[in-house]
Amino acid sequence: MNGIQLSDEAQTRKSLILRNLQEALGVDKLEKQLSTDGKVVHVYWGTATTGKPHVGYFVPMRKIADFLQAGLKVPVESPLLSGLLYPLLQALDEQYLKVDGQFGGVDQRKIFILAEEQLPKLKLGKRWHLMNPMVPGLTGSKMSSSEIDSKIDLLDSHDVVERKILGAACSRQETDNGVLAFFNYVLIPIVSPNSLIIADKEFFTYDEIKDSFLSGTLSAEDLKKTLIEFLNELLAKVQDHCRSDVVREALEKGYKEVTETMAEPRERPVVQVTDQQLSLIEQIVGNDLLIGDDNTALRSCIANGRAIRVTFTIHPKGRFHLGFLKGLLKMKSLIERGINIEGVVLISDTEAFLDNEK
């Protein structure tokens, strides 16, 4: 059998690092580093909170605790960058933070693949990548900052926590739900190797809890009651650390309540064109679909003699094929008719690469 022979200590560290992950890439590199005497292994976690931090972050926090227990050094970064730039820079972070691997949710797999495929081409080396599963929301979907009832904020009151969990989906027919996921990825790892008491019964593993729930020994109410008590106790400790002027000021600046206002729709002026210009517009549109059936911008260009600015964006998945010619031929036909256009062709090759690596 090929592979690196790990000492008992290194094997224990490896088990801690890999437990409860959904996927791990480059484990052979990790094993080699763990087997090297004196090697300090560095892992990087990059995150961008899109709203108030919620209890879903306990999952990566619990995993980071595993890394620390296994003796890893953990750089953490939360950059103020746009979604366009960050995926590329996150891949480069591996080099410039001088880490051996990167950790994140499985939703970041495409970024990890980008790093694995492209960094070696730049002679920047290839790292290992660890991915934890995405925790389902309390309402059955992904736990998201944009869905209030799908998540529990770190600063939610006891009453709010209780209300949200009591209303959470927890069906024996749909075991991939937020309630069970929290027992699997948060509660059991936190209390282990000790037991968890649910409805006066003692449980040491998540499988024991799940089997008891599916068999009817435990009810959804039993699980929810324990989860409410556990989370409120845990959140109380977090909230105690947030009772400072610094945190209050940060919350006020970062999460101001925004009142939505609906702008009154503005009527566009009717652009007058001659019959000849109208005929030209009909030639330009042809059999194509005009989104919104609004040709105001086109009429304005024709009426005022301005160039028509056209952008054709291509998202190539796989090899280029004849389907991409339609847009190019359309632009060519307009130019041949003497229509004044300024054409730009955008080839989204990076996005296509990431899509191909899903």
Side-chain angles (χ1 to χ4, degrees):
M1 178 179 176
N2 295 327
I4 298 172
Q5 296 298 317
L6 297 177
S7 65
D8 291 343
E9 179 190 2
Q11 186 62 51
T12 299
R13 294 175 66 197
K14 175 187 170 184
S15 298
L16 269 174
I17 293 167
L18 298 182
R19 73 171 179 175
N20 286 335
L21 293 176
Q22 181 164 327
E23 187 176 2
L25 304 174
V27 175
D28 55 333
K29 284 183 171 293
L30 174 62
E31 290 177 337
K32 183 176 181 180
Q33 292 161 1
L34 292 176
S35 66
T36 302
D37 290 338
K39 166 66 178 175
V40 178
V41 182
H42 291 74
V43 62
Y44 159 52
W45 179 53
T47 184
T49 51
T50 54
K52 289 184 178 180
H54 51 73
V55 294
Y57 285 93
F58 283 148
V59 176
M61 290 295 102
R62 178 54 252 177
K63 194 63 233 168
I64 288 173
D66 283 343
F67 296 155
L68 294 174
Q69 187 178 349
L72 273 61
K73 298 294 184 181
V74 184
V76 177
E77 185 175 301
S78 184
L80 298 174
L81 291 172
S82 75
L84 178 64
L85 292 175
Y86 186 52
L88 299 175
L89 298 181
Q90 184 177 339
L92 288 172
D93 281 344
E94 296 182 1
Q95 172 68 18
Y96 292 99
L97 290 176
K98 296 180 172 60
V99 296
D100 300 294
Q102 189 172 172
F103 163 66
V106 73
D107 60 334
Q108 299 201 6
R109 189 180 194 279
K110 291 187 287 185
I111 297 176
F112 294 165
I113 292 295
L114 174 69
E116 290 217 352
E117 294 286 343
Q118 301 304 314
L119 291 188
K121 295 178 182 177
L122 300 173
K123 302 188 185 304
L124 297 180
K126 184 176 181 179
R127 278 79 172 176
W128 41 263
H129 296 91
L130 310 178
M131 288 160 271
N132 63 255
M134 303 306 295
V135 177
L138 297 177
T139 55
S141 59
K142 171 188 171 183
M143 188 168 289
S144 169
S145 295
S146 61
E147 296 183 32
I148 300 299
D149 288 333
S150 76
K151 66 185 180 74
I152 295 172
D153 287 341
L154 297 183
L155 300 181
D156 276 348
S157 67
H158 286 209
D159 291 342
V160 171
V161 171
E162 182 175 0
R163 175 181 61 78
K164 288 183 177 180
I165 293 178
L166 289 178
C170 185
S171 167
R172 290 188 175 89
Q173 286 70 44
E174 297 289 340
T175 56
D176 185 21
N177 61 66
V179 174
L180 282 174
F182 257 88
F183 281 93
N184 190 12
Y185 298 113
V186 179
L187 273 68
I188 287 295
I190 286 178
V191 302
S192 180
N194 298 317
S195 63
L196 187 66
I197 305 299
I198 308 174
D200 298 325
K201 300 177 181 67
E202 192 174 34
F203 298 91
F204 286 90
T205 68
Y206 169 70
D207 287 338
E208 292 174 352
I209 296 172
K210 183 178 178 181
D211 291 343
S212 294
F213 175 60
L214 293 178
S215 68
T217 305
L218 288 177
S219 67
E221 290 69 26
D222 294 331
L223 297 178
K224 291 180 179 182
K225 181 181 178 182
T226 301
L227 183 56
I228 290 169
E229 293 173 352
F230 190 97
L231 278 183
N232 273 331
E233 182 179 347
L234 189 59
L235 290 176
K237 298 175 183 177
V238 174
Q239 292 166 9
D240 282 343
H241 287 283
C242 296
R243 304 185 196 282
S244 68
D245 293 337
V246 173
V247 174
R248 276 193 290 271
E249 184 179 355
L251 289 172
E252 290 173 2
K253 289 182 177 179
Y255 303 105
K256 283 185 177 179
E257 294 294 332
V258 178
T259 303
E260 292 188 5
T261 57
M262 295 295 293
E264 291 293 330
R266 185 175 60 181
E267 290 188 9
R268 293 190 178 188
V270 177
V271 180
Q272 300 297 329
V273 293
T274 65
D275 290 343
Q276 183 179 3
Q277 290 172 333
L278 182 59
S279 176
L280 181 59
I281 292 171
E282 291 173 350
Q283 291 179 46
I284 293 172
V285 176
N287 295 323
D288 295 327
L289 175 65
L290 191 63
I291 297 176
D293 197 28
D294 184 356
N295 63 4
T296 302
L298 185 56
R299 292 169 70 100
S300 178
C301 288
I302 298 298
N304 294 289
R306 295 198 310 271
I308 302 170
R309 303 181 68 182
V310 179
T311 300
F312 177 45
T313 304
I314 300 175
H315 304 275
K317 295 184 179 181
R319 295 179 180 273
F320 271 69
H321 52 76
L322 292 177
F324 293 117
L325 289 179
K326 185 175 181 181
L328 298 174
L329 291 174
K330 175 76 175 185
M331 294 173 68
K332 179 174 180 289
S333 69
L334 296 178
I335 294 172
E336 289 176 343
R337 293 177 191 174
I339 298 171
N340 185 15
I341 72 167
E342 295 178 358
V344 177
V345 179
L346 299 177
I347 301 177
S348 183
D349 50 353
T350 300
E351 182 179 350
F353 168 78
L354 294 176
D355 278 334
N356 288 333
E357 296 296 333
K358 284 182 180 177

